Amino acid sequence: MRIAVVGGGISGLVAAYRLRTLLGPDADVLVLDRAERVGGILYTGEVAGEPLDLGAEAFVGRRPEVPALLRELGLESQLVTPAGLRPLVWSSGAAHPLPEGTLMGVPANAESMRGLVDAETLARIAAEPDRPLTWDPGSDIDVYHLVADRFGPQVAERSVDPLLGGVYAGSSRSIGVRAALPTLAAALDDGAPSLTAAVGAALPPPSNAPVFGGIRDGYRVLLEALAERSGARFVTATPGTRLARGLRGWVVDPIGAVDAVVLATPAPVTARLLRTVAPVAAAELAGVELSSSVVVALALPRETALPQNSGILVATGEPLRAKAFTLSSRKWTHLAQRETALVRVSFGKFGDDSPLSWPDAQLVAAATEDLATVTGVAVEPIEAVVQRWPGGLAQYAPGHPARVAAVEAQVAPLDGLAVAGAYLHGVGVPACVSSGAAAAQRIAATVGAGSAHRS
């Protein structure tokens, strides 16, 4: 039994690992990736001689997938939680506490926005329940048009955009309500009389559980464990170029005939590979757009007087080049113990890939200058590391859930083929872990758990 996993990001590595646990030691699992290393947009580099994640650096802690996987792999001691400090929002040239009690920045009341928006907007939020709301159940629009219409553009640009920018490297104008805020869409579908009421219904119950989690020595620890435990053969620096039906399975160029395939590639790559075997799915995936970003990691003198906050998000329209600052040494207690203060500065949003083309020196200068602006302290880096992420994140535009449903419906009848990845049911690491596991389950059910031992 020979199975190809095309794409060695977290979705593909989880798929390979799960295939091994489901099909046993005799299955020949090959992982093909166009990059020289596996891990995709999860990457642990070195800053000031110690590991630091230069892609995603956290995961939603209230979802079970990553903690459960760490336990299964014997890595539970690597699980860390943030220090619990509150982030700031930089808006109108000043830092404000990030509003609490919101749904991805969408407020349930006017008071949570006080200080961040003007008096006119506060009054508009407070009066919103008295305005008639029209919503067609099952419909979808971008988040900006819903929030700006009901609460005013300042709420979208100063509260919602900074949070969506961190998750999707996009904005409220590029992200659909139904994909980014499914509980809000459900409340609207159920007949909520106002956006205020819908947010109130959609908010999760209060909890003292940490919102986020991380891995002490970086995602590299998880990636290496998955790769080792998968027992897969890895073919790197080699893209999958063609997928076709074979005599008794599939053909994946350039590795040849296989019994089954998991496509754990970004949406545009998956679209190209599916063009001849699932043209409708390919057409749908070709419509998924990607955003690019850059992370500049700075190591500063340990005594640098950074604010006692986890980070600083930047509102839309501010004259800064950076979109967000993670004050890593404040956010994570294990990083606070290091000899340098660590900050991650993020650049780039959907529709603006220009930071990718800036020279490293320009990016470091922009990161340093913007960090000094938002913190008010002198910033003198000891070391700086630049990591570019071209096409790193799928944009969940209006209609995205319907697009994904159409893709999965087209792939479902194709035995021995499964898709996985961050463009399906969430860009976060837990969603990708779930996606990879589901793809492996589908393949195992198709080929039969005993087939690996008979081949």
Side-chain angles (χ1 to χ4, degrees):
M1 178 63 59
R2 192 174 191 232
I3 302 171
V5 177
V6 186
I10 183 66
S11 301
L13 288 177
V14 169
Y17 167 66
R18 287 283 170 231
L19 285 167
R20 179 63 62 206
T21 63
L22 292 165
L23 297 178
D26 295 333
D28 183 11
V29 180
L30 292 88
V31 177
L32 189 68
D33 198 279
R34 61 185 177 182
E36 294 185 355
R37 62 166 186 85
V38 296
I41 63 170
L42 299 185
Y43 172 58
T44 308
E46 283 203 354
V47 180
E50 296 196 75
L52 186 71
D53 281 316
L54 300 178
E57 52 101 39
F59 55 85
V60 176
R62 292 174 181 171
R63 288 190 58 153
E65 291 90 345
V66 178
L69 186 59
L70 290 172
R71 286 193 297 272
E72 185 177 336
L73 295 168
L75 298 173
E76 189 173 10
S77 64
Q78 284 282 333
L79 181 64
V80 293
T81 55
L85 299 177
R86 193 173 176 183
L88 301 170
V89 177
W90 183 262
S91 177
S92 300
H96 308 264
L98 183 73
E100 295 183 317
T102 72
L103 189 70
M104 193 64 78
V106 186
N109 57 69
E111 192 59 34
S112 64
M113 294 287 114
R114 188 172 298 279
L116 184 60
V117 301
D118 61 22
E120 180 183 350
T121 300
L122 285 176
R124 185 169 177 172
I125 300 168
E128 191 269 341
D130 300 325
R131 293 172 52 210
L133 172 67
T134 300
W135 177 265
D136 295 326
S139 64
D140 199 8
I141 61 172
D142 64 76
V143 176
Y144 179 86
H145 279 90
L146 175 64
V147 174
D149 174 61
R150 303 301 299 182
F151 292 151
Q154 288 186 6
V155 175
E157 294 169 352
R158 300 180 184 183
S159 182
V160 180
D161 275 356
L163 290 166
L164 287 178
V167 176
Y168 297 98
S171 75
S172 58
R173 296 177 186 269
S174 65
I175 304 299
V177 171
R178 198 161 290 279
L181 301 166
T183 58
L184 181 65
L188 291 168
D189 289 346
D190 287 344
S194 66
L195 183 55
T196 300
V199 174
L203 281 170
S207 171
N208 292 325
V211 176
F212 298 107
I215 299 179
R216 180 180 302 279
D217 295 320
Y219 273 112
R220 176 171 59 194
V221 174
L222 174 59
L223 300 174
E224 289 175 349
L226 288 170
E228 179 182 357
R229 295 278 288 274
S230 73
R233 294 188 288 142
F234 289 88
V235 183
T236 55
T238 307
T241 55
R242 185 180 72 102
L243 175 68
R245 285 284 202 179
L247 292 177
R248 67 179 190 94
W250 298 89
V251 176
V252 179
D253 288 343
I255 60 175
V258 295
D259 296 283
V261 183
V262 174
L263 297 181
T265 43
V269 177
T270 308
R272 289 196 296 272
L273 292 171
L274 290 178
R275 190 176 296 143
T276 58
V277 299
V280 174
E284 291 284 358
L285 289 177
V288 177
E289 297 185 276
L290 307 180
S291 63
S292 300
S293 60
V294 180
V295 172
V296 179
L298 302 176
L300 310 175
R302 188 173 184 178
E303 64 273 12
T304 303
L306 296 171
Q308 291 293 331
N309 299 92
S310 60
I312 305 168
L313 307 175
V314 179
T316 295
E318 293 299 304
L320 294 176
R321 291 149 293 185
K323 69 173 184 180
F325 308 83
T326 303
L327 307 180
S328 303
S329 296
R330 299 285 191 242
K331 182 175 181 178
W332 303 101
T333 55
H334 69 288
L335 296 181
Q337 299 166 11
R338 295 191 179 177
E339 294 302 312
T340 58
L342 297 168
V343 177
R344 289 166 32 116
V345 185
S346 301
F347 297 83
K349 280 189 176 182
F350 178 67
D352 181 16
D353 292 347
S354 59
L356 265 71
S357 65
W358 298 354
D360 284 5
Q362 183 179 350
L363 284 162
V364 173
T368 302
E369 292 162 11
D370 284 359
L371 180 61
T373 296
V374 299
T375 60
V377 302
V379 177
E380 299 176 358
I382 297 169
E383 184 180 337
V385 177
V386 175
Q387 179 64 47
R388 292 171 175 81
W389 296 111
L393 285 174
Q395 295 299 288
Y396 279 41
H400 188 82
R403 184 190 298 275
V404 169
V407 170
E408 292 180 329
Q410 290 292 313
V411 172
L414 303 176
D415 286 348
L417 177 65
V419 293
Y423 64 88
L424 289 169
H425 300 289
V427 297
V429 175
C432 291
V433 169
S434 177
S435 174
Q441 290 279 0
R442 170 174 160 80
I443 294 301
T446 300
V447 301
S451 298
H453 303 283
R454 292 195 300 269
S455 61

